[in-house]
C-alpha cells in the first residue's frame, strides 16, 4: 500500500499543479468561463485536484474542432488509422500502472480488479484497430437494370458520454470503434472521476492522432453533457449511464435528430437451480456483485435461488460475504473499496433502511465500514420478494438481494419481473432447461454456468430500460457509420 501510494503521488503531482484541463483541437485549455470544480477521492474525501468545468461554449469549440478534423480523418487511409490506434494501445500498456492507480484513487475501485482495466482498454483499441481496414467494406447486389453497390461511411463527429464506475475501460470501449470507423469525437467524462479520461486523451495525441479528432471536455451533465447532446454538428451520441439520464438525452437530442446508443442500468438476475454446480455458482454469484464495489452495470444484483437449496446456499453465502476484505483501494488485499461519492453512498445506504421497511432480512452487512470515506460492508438481503424496492431498483453497490423460487416457471417470472434487461446468469446442469430458460429470459446478454466473460466480437447491450443498440464486433460500426446505396445502370 505504501509503495502504491508513493507512486500514485508522483503521478498526481502534475494534476495538483495544473488541475485537469480540457483538450480541444490538440490544445490543453481551461474552461472558457475559467470555472473549475474539485474531484475528490472517495477514500478520505480529500481534494485530488481542480477540474475545468466546461460548458456550452467549450462544447461548441470542441464540436467545431471535431467537425473541421472530420474530412481528413475520414479520408486517411485505414491502414494509417490502424497504426495510430495500435500506437494508442502500446502507450496505454506503457502507462498501465499510472492509469490503474489513478483510476482506483479517483473511483474507489480496488486495485486487484483495476490493475487489468488499462490492459482491457488497450485490447479494445487493438481489436477495433484491426477491424478498421474492413469497416467500410460493402457488397454488390445485381438487379435486372442496375448494379447496386452498398458502402458504409462514418457518420461524422460524435459525442461520447461516460459514467464514473469504470471510466477508463468504458471510454476506450466507446471511443476506439468511433475512431476506427473514421468518426471524430467529443468526449464528456463523468464529473466524479475525470482523471483517467485526461490521461487517455493525452496518450491519443502522443500517439499521433491529428488535432481535433479527439476532444475532451470536462464538466457536469446538465450543462456540458446537455450541450453536447444538443449540438447540431454532433451526429450521434454514445452514452453509458443511468436509464433516466438516457431518457433525458433522448429528449435533448430530439431537435437535432440525434442517433443514440444507450448502455444503461440493470437489475440482473443470477438464477441458481438445485441441479447446478453449487460451489461454482456461489463463486460466480459473489464475484458478479461484490467485485468492482458492485458498481458495475452487469452485476448480478438479484440472486434467485431454488427453495430446495436456498437455506444451505444462503448460509454459505453469508459466511463468504462476511469475510470479504473491505479497505483501501490501493491495498492489493482489498476486495471492496469505498463507493464513489457521498451522494452515491447516501443512495446505497438508504436501501438498508428500505430493506427493513420492506420486511427483508439483512443477513450480512447493512452498515457503513470505517469512520471516514465512503466505505460500506458488503451486504446481503435475504427473504426478499420481487415486488420489494430492493428487488426492483438498481442499487449499484456491493448489495445483493436474494429471492427464493419454487420451480422454473416461477424463476422465469421473477427474472423477467423488472424494468431492466441487461444481463442474466443461469446455473443449471439441465441443458434442455438452459435452452428453454435462456430463450425466454428478457436480457441482452446471458451466461450459462459462467460469470460475465467478455469476448469482444460478441454483441454487448441490453433490452427494456437497460439500453438501445449494441456494441462489440461489427455492431459498433453499425452505430458509428451510415450505409450508403449507389445504383449503377447497366
Ligand atoms: P449518470 O447517468 O448519472 O451519468 C453518466 C454521464 O452522463 C455522466 O458523464 C454525466 O455527467 C452525464 N449526464 C448526466 N446528465 C446528463 C444530461 N442531462 N445530458 C447529458 N449528459 C448527462 O450515470 P452514473 O451515475 O455516472 O453511472 C452509473 C450508471 O451507469 C448506472 O445506472 C449503471 O448501470 C450505468 N452503467 C451502464 C453500463 C452498461 O454498459 N449498460 C456500464 C456502466 C455503467
Amino acid at each position: 500500500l505504501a509503495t502504491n501510494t508513493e507512486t500514485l503521488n508522483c503521478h498526481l503531482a502534475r494534476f495538483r499543479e495544473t488541475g485537469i484541463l480540457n483538450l480541444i483541437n490538440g490544445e490543453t485549455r481551461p474552461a472558457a468561463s475559467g470555472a473549475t470544480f474539485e474531484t475528490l477521492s472517495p477514500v478520505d474525501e480529500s481534494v485530488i485536484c481542480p477540474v475545468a468545468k466546461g460548458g456550452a461554449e467549450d462544447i461548441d469549440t470542441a464540436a467545431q474542432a471535431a467537425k473541421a478534423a472530420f474530412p481528413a480523418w475520414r479520408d486517411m487511409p485505414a491502414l494509417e488509422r490502424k497504426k495510430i490506434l495500435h500506437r494508442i494501445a502500446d502507450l496505454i500498456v506503457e502507462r498501465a500502472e499510472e492509469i490503474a492507480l489513478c483510476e482506483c484513487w479517483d473511483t474507489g475501485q480496488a486495485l486487484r480488479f483495476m490493475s487489468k482495466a488499462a490492459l482491457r482498454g488497450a485490447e479494445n483499441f487493438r481489436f477495433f484497430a484491426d477491424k478498421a481496414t474492413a469497416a467500410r467494406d460493402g457488397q454488390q447486389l445485381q438487379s435486372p437494370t442496375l448494379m447496386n453497390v452498398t458502402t458504409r461511411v462514418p457518420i461524422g463527429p460524435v459525442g461520447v458520454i461516460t459514467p464514473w464506475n469504470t471510466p477508463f475501460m468504458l471510454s476506450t470501449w466507446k471511443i476506439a470503434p468511433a475512431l476506427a470507423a473514421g468518426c471524430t469525437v467529443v468526449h464528456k467524462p463523468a464529473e466524479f472521476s475525470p482523471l483517467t479520461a485526461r490521461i487517455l486523451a493525452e496518450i491519443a495525441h502522443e500517439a499521433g492522432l491529428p488535432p481535433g479528432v479527439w476532444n475532451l471536455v470536462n464538466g457536469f451533465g446538465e450543462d456540458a453533457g446537455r450541450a453536447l447532446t444538443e449540438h447540431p454538428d454532433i451526429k450521434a451520441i454514445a452514452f453509458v449511464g443511468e436509464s433516466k439520464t438516457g431518457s433525458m438525452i433522448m429528449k435533448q437530442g430530439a431537435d437535432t435528430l440525434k442517433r443514440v446508443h444507450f448502455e444503461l442500468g440493470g437489475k440482473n438476475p443470477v438464477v441458481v437451480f438445485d441441479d447446478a454446480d453449487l460451489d461454482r455458482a456461489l463463486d460466480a454469484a459473489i464475484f458478479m456483485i461484490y467485485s468492482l464495489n458492485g458498481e458495475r452495470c452487469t452485476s448480478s444484483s438479484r440472486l434467485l435461488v431454488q427453495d430446495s437449496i436456498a437455506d444451505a446456499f444462503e448460509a454459505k453465502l453469508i459466511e463468504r460475504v462476511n469475510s470479504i476484505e473491505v479497505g483501501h483501494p490501493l491495498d492489493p488485499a482489498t476486495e471492496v473499496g469505498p463507493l464513489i461519492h457521498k451522494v452515491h453512498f447516501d443512495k446505497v445506504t438508504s436501501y438498508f433502511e428500505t430493506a427493513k421497511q420492506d420486511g427483508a432480512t439483512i443477513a450480512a452487512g447493512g452498515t457503513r465500514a470505517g469512520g471516514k470515506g465512503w466505505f460500506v460492508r458488503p451486504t446481503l438481503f435475504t427473504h426478499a420478494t420481487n415486488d420489494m424496492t430492493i428487488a426492483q431498483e438498481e442499487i449499484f453497490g456491493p448489495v445483493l438481494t436474494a429471492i427464493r423460487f419454487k420451480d422454473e416457471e416461477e424463476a422465469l417470472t421473477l427474472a423477467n419481473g423488472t424494468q431492466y434487461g441487461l444481463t442474466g446468469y443461469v446455473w443449471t446442469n439441465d441443458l434442455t432447461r438452459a435452452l428453454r430458460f435462456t430463450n425466454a429470459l428478457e436480457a441482452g446478454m446471458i451466461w450459462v454456468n459462467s460469470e460475465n466473460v467478455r469476448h469482444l466480437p460478441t454483441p454487448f447491450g441490453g433490452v427494456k430500460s437497460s439500453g438501445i443498440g449494441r456494441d462489440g464486433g461489427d455492431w459498433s460500426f453499425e452505430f458509428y457509420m451510415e450505409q450508403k446505396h449507389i445504383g449503377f445502370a447497366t
Side-chain angles (χ1 to χ4, degrees):
L1 172 62
T3 319
N4 286 339
T5 307
E6 207 182 312
T7 315
L8 170 74
N9 281 325
C10 294
H11 291 305
L12 288 181
R14 70 187 179 104
F15 288 125
R16 292 196 174 116
E17 212 168 282
T18 62
I20 296 178
L21 297 170
N22 295 333
L23 192 67
I24 301 177
N25 208 17
E27 284 172 22
T28 287
R29 303 182 189 187
S33 65
T36 58
F37 64 97
E38 287 173 335
T39 181
L40 309 177
S41 174
V43 177
D44 57 7
E45 301 163 67
S46 62
V47 175
I48 301 176
C49 64
V51 185
K53 187 166 178 260
E57 196 180 335
D58 306 277
I59 288 289
D60 184 51
T61 314
Q64 303 280 358
K67 186 182 179 186
F70 175 64
W73 180 246
R74 176 196 59 201
D75 297 339
M76 182 186 279
L79 261 178
E80 293 295 309
R81 278 190 283 113
K82 174 179 169 173
K83 272 189 208 150
I84 296 176
L85 298 188
H86 271 294
R87 178 89 186 112
I88 294 175
D90 295 341
L91 293 175
I92 290 174
V93 173
E94 274 177 29
R95 289 172 72 173
E97 186 191 41
E98 174 192 358
I99 292 163
L101 294 174
C102 288
E103 185 96 321
C104 293
W105 186 242
D106 209 11
T107 62
Q109 297 284 12
L111 186 61
R112 68 159 61 203
F113 302 115
M114 279 301 120
S115 58
K116 295 186 200 89
L119 303 181
R120 266 195 70 184
E123 271 316 301
N124 288 340
F125 271 95
R126 293 202 197 290
F127 177 78
F128 287 108
D130 288 339
K131 289 182 77 68
T133 44
R136 293 177 199 179
D137 284 358
Q139 44 176 329
Q140 202 181 305
L141 301 163
Q142 196 81 36
S143 62
T145 56
L146 289 172
M147 187 178 70
N148 300 286
V149 175
T150 305
T151 63
R152 208 156 54 162
V153 293
I155 190 168
V158 298
V160 172
I161 302 178
T162 46
W164 47 256
N165 59 325
T166 51
F168 185 82
M169 202 285 293
L170 284 170
S171 303
T172 61
W173 178 236
K174 292 285 157 186
I175 296 173
L179 298 177
C183 295
T184 52
V185 172
V186 178
H187 180 204
K188 208 297 284 170
E191 47 271 49
F192 283 165
S193 55
L195 266 182
T196 54
R198 168 74 208 189
I199 298 173
L200 184 58
E202 286 171 5
I203 285 175
H205 286 84
E206 204 184 321
L209 206 68
V213 172
W214 178 334
N215 305 277
L216 171 73
V217 180
N218 285 285
F220 288 8
E222 56 270 29
D223 40 56
R226 185 185 180 111
L228 184 56
T229 61
E230 291 177 344
H231 202 285
D233 290 329
I234 297 294
K235 299 300 168 203
I237 294 286
F239 169 73
V240 186
E242 282 192 35
S243 303
K244 66 174 190 307
T245 315
S247 166
M248 278 195 278
I249 289 177
M250 202 171 228
K251 290 188 193 114
Q252 292 163 196
D255 282 348
T256 49
L257 295 174
K258 287 281 180 296
R259 178 182 292 185
V260 293
H261 185 181
F262 289 162
E263 288 180 18
L264 309 173
K267 192 71 181 176
N268 311 301
V270 50
V271 187
V272 183
F273 287 98
D274 60 5
D275 65 349
D277 180 332
L278 296 179
D279 289 336
R280 286 183 57 214
L282 185 67
D283 285 345
I286 289 170
F287 177 74
M288 283 310 303
I289 183 66
Y290 299 111
S291 62
L292 299 180
N293 297 347
E295 295 164 326
R296 110 197 255 171
C297 55
T298 55
S299 71
S300 55
S301 50
R302 282 187 304 149
L303 167 68
L304 308 183
V305 58
Q306 194 152 17
D307 273 336
S308 46
I309 52 158
D311 283 341
F313 196 82
E314 285 176 6
K316 282 188 189 165
L317 189 56
I318 293 167
E319 209 183 310
R320 292 276 295 273
V321 175
N322 282 330
S323 65
I324 290 173
E325 202 65 50
V326 180
H328 195 293
L330 299 187
D331 183 339
T334 294
E335 291 169 283
V336 169
L339 300 176
I340 180 82
H341 193 276
K342 180 180 188 310
V343 177
H344 190 55
F345 172 88
D346 288 344
K347 176 188 155 178
V348 171
T349 53
S350 75
Y351 286 99
F352 301 160
E353 196 47 46
T354 308
K356 283 184 214 154
Q357 281 166 11
D358 278 359
T361 305
I362 301 182
T367 56
R368 96 177 277 166
K372 210 175 179 194
W374 309 121
F375 295 90
V376 294
R377 293 276 348 145
T379 297
L380 172 67
F381 301 140
T382 55
H383 300 99
T385 54
N386 212 42
D387 56 349
M388 291 180 181
T389 307
I390 52 168
Q392 290 296 320
E393 293 184 4
E394 185 186 43
I395 299 174
F396 216 56
V399 180
L400 178 60
T401 300
I403 303 163
R404 299 179 176 201
F405 68 85
K406 185 168 77 284
D407 53 21
E408 186 184 323
E409 192 187 345
E410 190 184 12
L412 185 66
T413 306
L414 295 175
N416 287 342
T418 74
Q419 61 163 315
Y420 295 108
L422 188 60
T423 63
Y425 306 89
V426 183
W427 288 85
T428 177
N429 277 324
D430 178 339
L431 178 62
T432 314
R433 169 153 66 195
L435 287 169
R436 198 170 45 225
F437 198 85
T438 52
N439 190 41
L441 189 56
E442 294 164 359
M445 298 169 282
I446 304 170
W447 282 267
V448 178
N449 296 333
S450 172
E451 61 205 38
N452 166 355
V453 182
R454 273 296 287 143
H455 181 51
L456 298 183
T458 60
F460 186 101
V463 299
K464 293 155 77 176
S465 298
S466 290
I468 296 177
R470 294 291 178 273
D471 281 315
D474 203 56
W475 287 277
S476 298
F477 289 148
E478 277 187 13
F479 175 69
Y480 288 121
M481 300 180 89
E482 294 279 23
Q483 301 287 341
K484 188 173 187 176
H485 162 79
I486 310 161
F488 294 91
T490 50

